[in-house]
Amino acid sequence: MTTFNLTETTASKISSTLTRLRHQMGAPAVGMVLTLVMVVDEAGQYDAVRAATEAAREHPSRILVIINRDPAEPNRLDAEIRVGESSPGEVVLLRLYGELTGHADSVITPLLLTDTPVVVWWPGDAPAVPAQDPVGRLASRRITDARSTRDPLATITSRLGGYVPGDTDLTWTRLTPWRSLLAAAFDQPVGKVESGVVEAVPDNASAPLLAAWLSQRLGAPVRVTDSSGPGLTAVRLDLGGGGRLEVTRGDARLATLSKPGQPDRRVALTRRATSELLAEELRRLDPDETYSSALQQLAKGSG
Amino acid sequence: MTEPTGQADPAQPEAVPVTVQTEPAEPEVAPVAPPAPTTTPAAPVEHSTAVAAQVASVATTEETIAGNPLRDPRDKRLPRVAGPCVLVLFGVTGDLAKRKLLPAIYDLGNRGLLPPGFSLVGFARRDWAHEDFAQVTYEAVKENARTPFREEVWKQIREGIHFCPGEFDDDGAFDVLSMMLKEIDQTRGTGGNYAFYLSVPPKFFPTVIEQIKRTDLAKAPDGSWRRVVIEKPFGHDLKSARELNAITNAVFPEESVFRIDHYLGKETVQNILALRFANTLYEPIWNRGYVDHIQITMAEDIGIGGRAGYYDGIGAARDVIQNHLLQLLALVAMEDPISFDADALRREKEKVLRAVQLPADLATGTARGQYARGWQGGEPVVGYLEEDGISPDSITETYAAVRLEVANRRWAGVPFYLRTGKRLSRRMTEVAVVFQRAPHLPFSKDDTEILGQNALVIRVQPDEGITVRFGSKVPGTAMEVRDVSMDFAYGESFMESSPEAYERLLLDVMIGDPPLFPHQKEVELSWMIMDPVEEFWAAHGQPEGYASGGWGPASADAMLARDGRAWRRM
């Protein structure tokens, strides 16, 4: 991997350095499918970049990382360019100082790949209305993560207020294996669901979303109750004819599916790494309508 | 059985969750499921009622899936997952099982695509217990799986692994198998859904199929399914293909027969359809007005290895051209299907195969060869006739090339050159659409001396992707035009997500989705194309020798040279 540092620089210098590095490496063609912009603080930068670089193996991307530094300092832009073996794409870390911290969009606009989708990801705190954020406005897909905010439950409930088609939240992405398993269980006749419970550690923002989704799709009340974790531990659905459909997972790895009249079955249900979540997000870039309906249901109160 | 379904009628999906939706969740989706028009003949209680009732509670019928309240076409994150089922694998000790099938099952599990309760039954002539087969599977997975090994996924699969020892002609063994499957239905909730994968040489097909019939395993109770998966070769000529099919179809109806041509499971091959029918760029020039000719190549760098017994007497044309290359030809040449469902797709492929015409003179329109001793990739290798188990006067070809035409309005007069061979310079499979030269070049002759023809190349393997070849100006003060290549590589763009062909095909078998499996009609049409060639060759003695590690026999080059063309260099 080659790292290239540019201090007190400009977007056009970064751009020409990128082109020059590409030609030097003998690969002048650009095989990248999207630009991934990350807005992150210095502390969260390392993990987020690592996740994005891994996801880029599936979706070769130009990764632009915006790190806002002290706004009181004189205006200044420092760039760290990484190209090479760790991923098929390119990574540019941009450190912004002074008033420039309020104008990150002016830095990244010239660096976006031409005519390919732009995705913005806020691994930590995100603006209230991501689509109206100066950086968020450049993107067709905006990814947030309620889990990493101070009050995840309040954050996920408030997402509806700022929702614009194209928004998603990783707390929703984390649910895909659960939802997939539950949907598979309903591929066979189950009967009417009367009510349900989702069990999770307190403060798990995914749990109320799952409850909202189930409640809306099944037309039955689904509550969230606390458990000792880790993460989501169970979904229990009471069936009209008596009996229960249950998915329980005590160790965050292997779940057990129980249905009336059928033997218990174990199914792998692992919590996924951030890079996998991100890769799933990048697979489909159209608005996620199911997420939006789940948010609406959540706001209505699923209880 | 606490479900209210377990009454008299096992198939009546009374339990279809027509949720009395208090608030209409999704207007366009909520299928106002009509009271399921299942015309069940007043339920003849065939087996024990317990089994029937159990089947009812796991029946993965179309109506149930359509009525699944948790599924929504707009919810694109949810993958297609197969319903609970048992995969019975005959020939688990074979190379294919170890290298491809068992790892593919694990990879499906790792991607979360295996149904809860999925069970795998191995059947082979080995004195094994369940644990021994599990161990074999474990080793195969460790060695050959594409996705990382995860203990919990293995646990899930391990629970469902069973082994049934026995010979194919041993009635007792199949009775045990039948009992075992019933038991698995009870312990794993697989609901009588069985797929029988015959990874065995075709000579065993009749025996195995007969046993399946004798033990009534092919008959699915209402609400469940039975499928059989067979692999090439589908016969060695039209007659034997029909015989083989008669054996299979006597027991399994055509829609339950899944013929695996693993090429069709490859991402790039499926992408031929996307490339042609999702873009506007190519279709206008995809015809005789612009295309000069098409070359379809499958080259291997290896010899026959340990497959002497199978290969001798079969040869390259039957082994590769009859199935893989003609399927590729069909996909490249067909008209657009009205949809991508199995019927529409197969109809278009059949039309093309029907329109395929052999050259009038088979002596000049075909070529064949047999590899001779030589050097391949820096190693000395023996000739075909010196291979173990090959008779020194064998006339089996290891290289075959044929010039075909497709007699329809789109392709009239455009030759399709198909070639395949073993022990060639490298391993590669590609489809090259070579375009006509520009009608007029406003450059001087010298400027464009080395300009070739434009080409669009679909690289099937290795290094899956697409290459476009076109002329470009050489930088400099002079106007000089030469060929350049522009690559799009899937390997780069969609690497991790692209599943192995067998993963995709196994999943399709379990889901019951047939578009990627050739229909018997296609198999027969392909034999009709190849049979005259085979007959001609059989009557003409020894094939021409060609040096190992080269580009094939001289007669193949001469075949194109007569048309004023040349093969693309491998």
Side-chain angles (χ1 to χ4, degrees):
Chain A
M1 192 177 74
T2 321
T3 307
F4 221 82
N5 284 303
L6 298 171
T7 48
E8 293 186 68
T9 186
T10 63
S12 70
K13 281 184 196 154
I14 297 171
S15 183
S16 59
T17 309
L18 278 171
T19 312
R20 187 165 54 79
L21 286 174
R22 239 191 357 249
H23 281 267
Q24 267 177 9
M25 293 177 59
V30 189
M32 290 180 277
V33 296
L34 55 91
T35 309
L36 175 64
V37 181
M38 283 154 45
V39 186
V40 66
D41 55 23
E42 196 71 73
Q45 171 260 114
Y46 179 81
D47 288 338
V49 170
R50 207 186 53 169
T53 331
E54 276 172 29
R57 268 201 270 271
E58 184 175 315
H59 311 275
S61 323
R62 174 174 285 181
I63 300 170
L64 304 175
V65 188
I66 299 172
I67 305 168
N68 284 319
R69 306 286 305 211
D70 192 351
E73 292 221 2
N75 295 342
R76 173 185 166 115
L77 171 64
D78 286 355
E80 186 181 328
I81 300 174
R82 299 177 189 165
V83 286
E85 284 139 41
S86 67
S87 100
E90 303 159 332
V91 182
V92 185
L93 276 72
L94 301 156
R95 291 187 170 82
L96 279 53
Y97 296 82
E99 276 179 58
L100 187 56
T101 52
H103 301 279
D105 54 320
S106 75
V107 178
I108 62 165
T109 310
L111 294 177
L112 303 174
L113 293 171
T114 314
D115 212 17
T116 48
V118 178
V119 177
V120 180
W121 175 34
W122 289 271
D125 286 318
V129 186
Q132 281 170 22
D133 178 82
V135 176
R137 203 180 298 155
L138 302 170
S140 52
R141 184 81 170 198
R142 294 159 299 273
I143 306 166
T144 53
D145 189 358
R147 192 177 80 167
S148 55
T149 58
R150 199 161 301 140
D151 184 353
L153 292 178
T155 310
I156 195 65
T157 317
S158 71
R159 287 282 185 243
L160 181 66
Y163 179 81
V164 172
D167 289 1
T168 55
D169 197 283
L170 291 187
T171 49
W172 174 244
T173 321
R174 288 187 185 95
L175 290 173
T176 307
W178 279 87
R179 298 197 304 120
S180 171
L181 176 58
L182 287 162
F186 275 83
D187 277 341
Q188 303 149 16
V190 168
K192 174 88 179 99
V193 173
E194 295 288 329
S195 64
V197 179
V198 173
E199 295 176 11
V201 284
D203 268 4
N204 183 311
S206 294
L209 262 187
L210 182 59
W213 175 69
L214 283 170
S215 154
Q216 195 215 14
R217 301 299 312 179
L218 298 173
V222 179
R223 283 180 301 126
V224 178
T225 60
D226 290 348
S227 75
S228 52
L232 267 167
T233 51
V235 172
R236 305 181 202 277
L237 302 172
D238 286 318
L239 305 176
R244 255 184 184 181
L245 190 156
E246 291 183 316
V247 179
T248 50
R249 182 185 74 173
D251 61 353
R253 299 165 78 88
L254 199 60
T256 305
L257 169 70
S258 325
K259 279 177 80 175
Q262 281 187 39
D264 286 1
R265 286 166 294 201
R266 294 200 286 170
V267 185
L269 199 63
T270 319
R271 302 168 92 176
R272 297 182 296 167
T274 314
S275 56
E276 286 179 61
L277 302 176
L278 198 59
E280 178 184 317
E281 283 305 317
L282 300 181
R283 227 163 273 157
R284 301 199 181 262
L285 295 174
D286 44 347
D288 188 337
E289 296 170 51
T290 316
Y291 167 66
S292 135
S293 343
L295 279 185
Q296 284 167 17
Q297 180 72 22
L298 183 62
K300 268 188 244 165
S302 46
Chain B
M1 272 316 302
T2 42
E3 271 287 37
T5 26
Q7 284 121 9
D9 194 341
Q12 201 63 37
E14 215 236 336
V16 166
V18 188
T19 40
V20 187
Q21 268 147 335
T22 38
E23 40 188 272
E26 312 301 339
E28 64 203 87
V29 179
V32 186
T38 17
T39 47
T40 324
V45 184
E46 286 179 69
H47 304 286
S48 69
T49 35
V51 170
Q54 223 231 340
V55 165
S57 70
V58 290
T60 314
T61 56
E62 292 293 320
E63 300 92 76
T64 317
I65 294 177
N68 183 341
L70 297 184
R71 292 218 184 266
D72 177 351
R74 295 177 306 167
D75 194 347
K76 295 170 190 162
R77 288 177 197 261
L78 296 189
R80 303 184 310 159
V81 180
C85 60
V86 187
L87 180 68
V88 184
L89 192 52
F90 295 98
V92 284
T93 50
D95 196 40
L96 184 78
K98 282 184 195 151
R99 277 191 313 115
K100 297 287 187 185
L101 300 178
L102 297 173
I105 289 167
Y106 170 84
D107 288 331
L108 283 174
N110 209 354
R111 293 179 204 275
L113 300 176
L114 281 186
F118 170 82
S119 302
L120 172 70
V121 177
F123 188 105
R125 194 181 54 199
R126 284 288 193 296
D127 194 13
W128 282 352
H130 300 318
E131 295 76 44
D132 300 314
F133 178 44
Q135 186 59 29
V136 168
T137 311
Y138 180 80
E139 278 157 21
V141 166
K142 275 271 186 177
E143 199 168 326
N144 295 315
R146 288 157 41 96
T147 53
F149 187 83
R150 296 213 313 247
E151 198 58 41
E152 60 275 11
V153 177
W154 171 246
K155 268 190 195 155
Q156 174 190 350
I157 291 172
R158 171 67 190 86
E159 279 188 349
I161 291 184
H162 299 73
F163 186 75
C164 181
E167 307 262 355
F168 295 141
D169 54 7
D170 177 4
D171 287 1
F174 275 82
D175 291 340
V176 171
L177 175 67
S178 173
M179 290 300 293
M180 190 183 274
L181 288 171
K182 288 211 174 76
E183 203 178 302
I184 292 173
D185 282 344
Q186 297 291 339
T187 56
R188 307 274 301 158
T190 41
N193 301 321
Y194 312 145
F196 300 97
Y197 196 120
L198 271 57
S199 183
V200 296
K203 64 176 175 209
F204 294 120
F205 281 16
T207 324
V208 177
I209 300 263
E210 185 50 44
Q211 290 283 13
I212 292 176
K213 184 184 174 193
R214 188 185 63 78
T215 44
D216 251 1
L217 285 173
K219 257 194 233 138
D222 279 341
S224 64
W225 50 258
R226 303 289 155 92
R227 295 179 186 134
V228 64
V229 186
I230 55 179
E231 283 182 31
K232 73 160 197 186
F234 311 120
H236 52 86
D237 57 15
L238 180 60
K239 185 164 162 282
S240 59
R242 284 188 171 149
E243 283 165 10
L244 186 68
N245 191 51
I247 293 167
T248 330
N249 272 15
V251 179
F252 289 95
E254 175 65 23
E255 68 269 16
S256 303
V257 182
F258 288 73
R259 293 179 192 79
I260 290 223
D261 182 333
H262 68 273
Y263 262 63
L264 299 187
K266 285 186 181 292
E267 287 285 323
T268 356
V269 173
Q270 296 166 47
N271 199 41
I272 293 176
L273 299 175
L275 182 84
R276 289 193 55 200
F277 303 124
N279 295 303
T280 48
L281 192 55
Y282 308 108
E283 207 51 25
I285 53 171
W286 210 261
N287 54 53
R288 67 187 306 273
Y290 293 89
V291 175
D292 179 65
H293 70 281
I294 290 175
Q295 297 186 11
I296 304 179
T297 304
M298 175 175 159
E300 288 176 283
D301 51 2
I302 51 167
I304 54 162
R307 292 170 73 219
Y310 161 72
Y311 199 85
D312 199 42
I314 292 290
R318 288 193 181 102
D319 188 37
V320 174
I321 296 188
Q322 183 271 337
N323 37 58
H324 305 319
L325 297 196
L326 285 176
Q327 284 287 331
L328 286 176
L329 178 146
L331 290 173
V332 169
M334 71 182 198
E335 298 299 316
D336 46 340
I338 53 170
S339 77
F340 280 142
D341 68 27
D343 275 350
L345 208 57
R346 286 166 166 176
R347 189 162 305 154
E348 295 306 328
K349 276 159 67 183
E350 274 168 34
K351 272 163 62 183
V352 171
L353 290 173
R354 254 178 233 286
V356 168
Q357 296 203 323
L358 284 171
D361 179 6
L362 289 176
T364 53
T366 69
R368 63 186 173 135
Q370 207 176 48
Y371 60 81
R373 171 191 292 276
W375 287 78
Q376 203 290 325
E379 284 177 58
V381 288
V382 299
Y384 179 72
L385 298 177
E386 299 152 314
E387 296 271 12
D388 281 344
I390 300 295
S391 134
D393 55 1
S394 169
I395 62 160
T396 302
E397 84 281 359
T398 63
Y399 179 102
V402 55
R403 177 193 197 277
L404 301 175
E405 288 199 23
V406 176
N408 61 21
R409 196 181 179 102
R410 185 191 283 260
W411 295 116
V414 177
F416 286 71
Y417 300 105
L418 276 50
R419 63 172 164 168
T420 181
K422 289 195 174 288
R423 275 285 163 69
L424 297 173
S425 62
R426 65 197 301 187
R427 169 175 170 261
M428 70 158 207
T429 303
E430 64 167 37
V431 177
V433 180
V434 182
F435 293 93
Q436 296 167 11
R437 285 178 196 280
H440 168 71
L441 290 170
F443 309 95
S444 79
K445 195 165 179 298
D446 304 337
D447 297 343
T448 55
E449 215 162 18
I450 47 174
L451 177 65
Q453 286 165 281
N454 292 165
L456 179 81
V457 185
I458 297 155
R459 306 194 308 272
V460 178
Q461 74 174 16
D463 188 22
E464 304 191 4
I466 288 168
T467 300
V468 180
R469 191 175 74 156
F470 56 96
S472 172
K473 182 182 171 300
V474 180
T477 49
M479 175 51 96
E480 166 135 9
V481 185
R482 76 154 64 137
D483 290 323
V484 294
S485 283
M486 189 168 70
D487 281 356
F488 171 71
Y490 294 98
E492 193 183 307
S493 285
F494 302 110
M495 193 165 48
E496 310 255 315
S497 67
S498 68
E500 225 278 329
Y502 277 101
E503 278 177 60
R504 171 68 198 266
L505 296 175
L506 279 175
L507 182 65
D508 281 1
V509 168
M510 292 189 275
I511 292 178
D513 197 19
L516 296 181
F517 300 86
H519 190 274
Q520 174 64 15
K521 269 193 211 138
E522 294 166 51
V523 174
E524 290 183 10
L525 285 168
S526 306
W527 281 123
M528 284 181 208
I529 297 167
M530 291 317 290
D531 276 357
V533 178
E534 293 288 352
E535 279 161 29
F536 176 81
W537 284 346
H540 283 77
Q542 199 68 23
E544 181 190 358
Y546 62 93
S548 287
W551 296 325
S555 57
D557 295 337
M559 181 177 109
L560 263 73
R562 276 192 288 273
D563 292 352
R565 301 191 176 97
W567 291 109
R568 282 170 51 82
R569 190 174 53 69
M570 283 178 204

